[in-house]
Amino acid sequence: NAGVTQTPKFQVLKTGQSMTLQCAQDMNHNSMYWYRQDPGMGLRLIYYSASEGTTDKGEVPNGYNVSRLNKREFSLRLESAAPSQTSVYFCASRGAGETQYFGPGTRLLVL
Amino acid sequence: EDKVVQSPLSLVVHEGDTVTLNCSYEVTNFRSLLWYKQEKKAPTFLFMLTSSGIEKKSGRLSSILDKKELFSILNITATQTGDSAIYLCAVSLNTFSARFGAGTRLTVKP
């Protein structure tokens, strides 16, 4: 039972490159989330998926797209990376309760 | 706009000290308030509070919510170096989303 897993752990991109961050959970949770964490800013919600087949924008969606591939997997795509997207990205999932379970994070550096 | 504000942003104490971390909120729809601890990587759940005045306790950690004054505190007694972490407060707004504060970085020195 791995909980929430994310790949990759670390990535360096050049401005304008694209990439997809992968997230999977094995807890049969309906809701999944993508956050970014920047110093002094806490966790800010990028996108979330309340259930398979639905996605919604969070606080800071610009520059990102998401796909809820199935109940287990929720990916985050940067089509044209910018230095402002340098951050640590966390995926989380939530079941019937209020608690969110977080993955280990992806550290992204955009040069 | 929904806001969650934590204070202080950073705190350095010595082992054995007692600390109080603060979280105030201003949101349109309140469901619950959650505290998380973030060490090196992923935040992990500590407490969920939904009712005013009822203290939640786990070992040396305790937390209480005041829904009238719109704040919560997290207390840690007899701090240890293992308590060093970022403590995050989050307010659950609806069934699907939560707003997080910036976090308090606690450093406990031996």
Side-chain angles (χ1 to χ4, degrees), chain A residues 42-68:
Chain A
L43 286 165
R44 291 183 293 167
L45 182 64
I46 305 171
Y47 270 92
Y48 68 97
S49 170
S51 61
E52 187 179 351
T54 69
T55 61
D56 281 289
K57 294 178 181 179
E59 297 170 67
V60 288
N62 291 345
Y64 305 96
N65 283 304
V66 289
S67 294
R68 183 74 183 267

Side-chain angles (χ1 to χ4, degrees), chain A residues 79-101:
Chain A
E79 290 291 350
S80 178
S84 60
Q85 294 177 304
T86 292
S87 189
V88 181
Y89 291 85
F90 286 99
C91 177
S93 71
R94 174 172 151 179
E98 305 280 342
T99 307
Q100 294 187 25
Y101 298 85

Side-chain angles (χ1 to χ4, degrees), chain A residues 5-81:
Chain A
T5 56
Q6 291 182 235
T7 55
K9 288 193 172 78
F10 179 69
Q11 184 74 45
V12 180
L13 291 178
K14 292 181 180 174
T15 296
Q17 287 185 316
S18 62
M19 80 162 293
T20 300
L21 282 65
Q22 306 286 356
C23 173
Q25 52 93 8
D26 61 3
M27 296 175 281
N28 202 35
H29 287 167
N30 282 324
S31 302
M32 296 185 74
Y33 307 83
W34 276 106
Y35 292 92
R36 59 178 289 174
Q37 186 175 36
D38 303 293
M41 304 285 286
L43 286 165
R44 291 183 293 167
L45 182 64
I46 305 171
Y47 270 92
Y48 68 97
S49 170
S51 61
E52 187 179 351
T54 69
T55 61
D56 281 289
K57 294 178 181 179
E59 297 170 67
V60 288
N62 291 345
Y64 305 96
N65 283 304
V66 289
S67 294
R68 183 74 183 267
L69 304 166
N70 48 54
K71 192 169 187 181
R72 288 188 66 245
E73 298 171 289
F74 188 38
S75 62
L76 178 72
R77 183 157 177 85
L78 287 70
E79 290 291 350
S80 178

Side-chain angles (χ1 to χ4, degrees), chain B residues 8-23:
Chain B
L9 290 181
S10 181
L11 188 57
V12 180
V13 300
H14 287 94
E15 271 192 319
D17 288 349
T18 292
V19 297
T20 298
L21 310 183
N22 303 292
C23 176

Side-chain angles (χ1 to χ4, degrees), chain A residues 44 59, chain B residues 1-5 25-29 93 99:
Chain A
R44 291 183 293 167
E59 297 170 67
Chain B
E1 187 187 327
D2 297 320
K3 286 193 301 188
V4 178
V5 178
Y25 60 92
E26 198 176 308
V27 298
T28 50
N29 186 44
L93 305 174
R99 183 62 56 90

Side-chain angles (χ1 to χ4, degrees), chain B residues 30-93:
Chain B
F30 176 92
R31 280 172 59 94
S32 63
L33 186 142
L34 301 100
W35 285 97
Y36 291 84
K37 178 181 182 182
Q38 184 178 20
E39 295 177 85
K40 297 221 183 300
K41 289 186 177 177
T44 53
F45 172 76
L46 290 174
F47 296 113
M48 184 176 82
L49 303 146
T50 55
S51 302
S52 280
I54 298 174
E55 186 183 50
K56 292 280 182 94
K57 203 166 165 61
S58 176
R60 295 175 294 100
L61 277 67
S62 63
S63 184
I64 198 158
L65 173 67
D66 186 329
K67 288 170 77 174
K68 185 179 173 192
E69 300 298 328
L70 308 182
F71 77 92
S72 173
I73 59 171
L74 175 67
N75 276 323
I76 308 175
T77 59
T79 51
Q80 301 170 357
T81 54
D83 295 326
S84 295
I86 296 173
Y87 290 85
L88 295 165
C89 170
V91 173
S92 185
L93 305 174

